[in-house]
Amino acid sequence: MPANQHRLPRFTADVPWQRWRQLSQRELTIAATAAAIVFFLLVFSPFPKPSRTFGGTNVIASEAASDWVPFTPSSNAQQNSAFCLDGSLPGYHLKRGFGSGSNSWLIYIEGGGWCNNIPSCSARKETRYGSSTYMDKRDQFFGILSRHQVQNPDFFNWNKVKVRYCEGSSFTSRPDTEFQNGTELFFRGQLIWDTLMDELLTIGMSESRQALLIGCSAGGLAALIHCDDFRDLFPKDTDVKCLADAGFFPNEKDIAGNHTIESYYHDVVHLQGITKSLNHDCVARSGEPSKCFFPQEFIGNIKTPVFLVQPAYDFWQIANIFAPKSSDPHGSWRKCKLNIFNCNSKQLDVLHGYRNSLLRTLNGFQKKPKWGMFINSCFIHCQTWAAGRWHSPTSPRINNKTIAETVGDWYFEREAAIRVDCPFPCNPTCVNQDLTDSDG
Ligand SMILES: *[C@@H]1O[C@H](CO)[C@@H](O)[C@H](O)[C@H]1NC(C)=O
Ligand SMILES: *[C@@H]1O[C@H](CO)[C@@H](O)[C@H](O)[C@H]1NC(C)=O
Ligand SMILES: *[C@@H]1O[C@H](CO)[C@@H](O)[C@H](O)[C@H]1NC(C)=O
């Protein structure tokens, strides 16, 4: 294990989330993980950002050793030439299931944005999101990945695989020509995906009676894009479903009226040769293939049952899609983007507008059979991998149901699982993130 396993940016030292009263060691670890993700989003986000420097802080984890899951490099990647952006080998963390979960498989795709041009992909190559060289060689499983029933009532004993993200296309890139302009960036996302799925089938996944494909953020988008192909890996009588956590990125104009995310996705799709991996019906009907990187354009074509966990006030979307720096030259959104309690009433009205738009977009999908959603009104991003958000006495609820309970109701078809929250700030169970100290 590398010595810097828990080396985290300075802002994790004084965990500023007062709502997380009396932090236990476990919660601290979760906070640190969350901070690491926030750190990624802020530092490696391809969108413009202020420059800043970081020191380091060690956070000690006290979790039982058995919750640590080692990294397994793919054994077929070398022969398939399925490389991370930098040419290193991709891989995953596998925790075997037990008891009644022995023939059930949950595949969890890590998130971490995308890259849209040669400089941003070259920079990514030097991080754990572009190279397994920089990855921690073990990881702790929480939330939907936890093997503890109290934390994870329905999936605790399943086989669990966390697929590491070491390229920049949500596992979809496959350009016709590579190494444009001598840059030596391996755009092999689709090949990595195919290689890893083949490998998992040979080590037990083919025996699945039940399977769930899930991902967070860019991994959530990957779970949607690959959903039907994943379903086709199994026999007809296997129960297969897909879940996107904070993976529903809407095609919205920013507050200045610019198409920031649309032009960003255009660049991602064309740089990395993603078109062939996108839904063919969608590509055929939309003039521009990159539109089919937006879930709203292809989710109606997905045949497999889908569940969306999506905060209506997703802080990543607010910072990068709705109010990116280019749309806010005077910085009047800067504080609001870091803490929703800093937003003035005009800004909140704008955010409510984005929520209304999301609900309108999702309205058409609520009636699809066996679909489900948990759309809460918290200022947060991914929620399934953290114990304090997934299922605990203090996690976010809608109609008194946690995300874990709602996802279980959906997967096992116990009851209808469409849960949509009232607008912010109506829900006192929200875990709202305060990113203020991360802006140094
Ligand atoms: C490669 O270089 C050419 C000419 O400088 C440029 O037009 C093109 O956009 C570059 N390709 C990439 C992928 O950056
Ligand atoms: C965004 O829109 C404004 C005007 O609405 C324009 O002046 C500005 O150049 C645009 N920014 C970008 C990055 O397109
Ligand atoms: C909410 O659910 C918990 C169990 O998860 C239960 O103990 C509690 O009574 C419920 N509260 C309400 C108001 O229904």
Side-chain angles (χ1 to χ4, degrees):
M1 172 185 127
N4 66 348
Q5 174 85 11
H6 290 294
R7 196 152 279 277
L8 288 160
R10 173 180 55 76
F11 63 82
T12 61
D14 49 346
V15 178
W17 311 321
Q18 292 95 341
R19 257 162 236 89
W20 298 25
R21 301 168 295 272
Q22 299 165 330
L23 288 177
S24 69
Q25 284 291 345
R26 167 180 289 188
E27 284 169 319
L28 255 183
T29 309
I30 295 163
T33 313
I37 286 179
V38 170
F39 171 77
F40 164 78
L41 292 170
L42 293 169
V43 176
F44 300 115
S45 163
F47 295 95
K49 62 194 186 285
S51 63
R52 58 177 77 77
T53 55
F54 292 99
T57 298
N58 283 315
V59 177
I60 312 296
S62 68
E63 199 60 26
S66 57
D67 284 345
W68 286 101
V69 185
F71 177 75
T72 307
S74 161
S75 48
N76 298 337
Q78 187 77 49
Q79 76 198 46
N80 289 0
S81 305
F83 302 126
C84 300
L85 263 186
D86 71 330
S88 59
L89 293 182
Y92 54 88
H93 304 256
L94 165 66
K95 186 86 188 167
R96 293 277 178 184
F98 53 94
S100 61
S102 301
N103 290 323
S104 301
W105 284 69
L106 187 151
I107 310 300
Y108 187 99
I109 313 168
E110 183 182 36
W114 310 272
C115 60
N116 66 326
N117 52 35
I118 298 293
S120 68
C121 292
S122 300
R124 190 178 175 93
K125 209 163 96 155
E126 313 291 325
T127 75
R128 68 187 181 88
Y129 297 100
S131 168
S132 56
T133 313
Y134 297 96
M135 284 177 195
D136 294 338
K137 294 304 182 280
R138 53 182 207 158
D139 194 35
Q140 264 181 306
F141 280 12
F142 294 113
I144 199 171
L145 293 172
S146 169
R147 65 189 177 84
H148 302 290
Q149 192 166 8
V150 62
Q151 197 185 122
N152 189 20
D154 286 308
F155 305 101
F156 70 98
N157 60 1
W158 285 35
N159 295 281
K160 309 222 182 53
V161 179
K162 179 172 177 177
V163 173
R164 296 300 294 260
Y165 187 28
C166 64
E167 47 91 38
S169 71
S170 292
F171 296 94
T172 59
S173 56
R174 45 168 131 175
D176 294 329
T177 56
E178 220 170 9
F179 298 156
Q180 292 124 310
N181 302 354
T183 46
E184 299 219 358
L185 287 162
F186 294 85
F187 292 131
R188 301 194 178 174
Q190 181 70 44
L191 191 55
I192 295 174
W193 182 255
D194 296 339
T195 298
L196 292 180
M197 290 306 113
D198 280 352
E199 193 164 323
L200 294 174
L201 286 169
T202 65
I203 60 170
M205 194 172 76
S206 61
E207 304 297 313
S208 289
R209 306 294 307 148
Q210 313 181 97
L212 175 59
L213 178 64
I214 162 171
C216 140
S217 196
L221 177 60
L224 294 175
I225 291 175
H226 292 295
C227 181
D228 282 344
D229 292 341
F230 180 75
R231 202 278 155 258
D232 291 342
L233 298 175
F234 303 93
K236 257 200 153 84
D237 60 348
T238 302
D239 209 356
V240 184
K241 297 181 179 170
C242 308
L243 188 156
D245 178 9
F248 195 90
F249 298 91
N251 188 359
E252 293 280 358
K253 284 189 258 186
D254 65 30
I255 52 170
N258 295 326
H259 296 270
T260 299
I261 187 68
E262 189 175 297
S263 75
Y264 180 78
Y265 271 9
H266 174 276
D267 294 349
V268 173
V269 166
H270 290 281
L271 173 73
Q272 302 200 48
I274 286 173
T275 303
K276 289 194 289 294
S277 297
L278 299 174
N279 182 281
H280 300 308
D281 294 334
C282 179
V283 172
R285 80 170 165 261
S286 81
E288 168 51 53
S290 63
K291 293 228 163 96
C292 301
F293 213 49
F294 287 103
Q296 70 207 63
E297 299 295 333
F298 68 86
I299 204 167
N301 292 92
I302 301 177
K303 297 181 207 77
T304 311
V306 165
F307 192 98
L308 300 174
V309 175
Q310 183 64 53
Y313 304 80
D314 181 325
F315 68 68
W316 192 92
Q317 292 187 5
I318 295 170
N320 297 294
I321 297 180
F322 307 145
K325 215 164 173 246
S326 61
S327 68
D328 181 33
H330 305 298
S332 54
W333 277 75
R334 206 181 66 86
K335 286 190 164 147
C336 165
K337 284 193 281 192
L338 297 172
N339 183 333
I340 194 167
F341 292 99
N342 292 336
C343 302
N344 62 34
S345 61
K346 257 176 86 178
Q347 290 166 333
L348 277 181
D349 281 347
V350 172
L351 296 181
H352 294 324
Y354 283 116
R355 170 178 176 272
N356 290 337
S357 176
L358 172 72
L359 298 185
R360 272 195 305 275
T361 305
L362 295 179
N363 212 13
F365 305 120
Q366 297 199 5
K367 291 166 202 90
K368 283 186 73 119
K370 300 194 176 184
W371 278 44
M373 53 188 79
F374 188 98
I375 312 295
N376 57 348
S377 290
C378 309
F379 185 72
I380 199 157
H381 190 47
C382 294
Q383 301 180 91
T384 56
W385 56 262
R389 303 171 193 177
W390 173 243
H391 188 66
S392 84
T394 54
S395 34
R397 287 165 189 257
I398 300 178
N399 300 341
N400 201 30
K401 291 265 199 174
T402 62
I403 300 171
E405 288 165 333
T406 309
V407 170
D409 288 347
W410 161 74
Y411 191 92
F412 299 101
E413 298 172 26
R414 294 188 293 243
E415 60 176 89
I418 304 272
R419 303 215 163 102
V420 179
D421 213 350
C422 46
F424 179 88
C426 73
N427 189 338
T429 68
C430 264
V431 177
N432 296 301
Q433 205 108 40
D434 183 349
L435 309 169
T436 306
D437 282 7
S438 66
D439 197 39

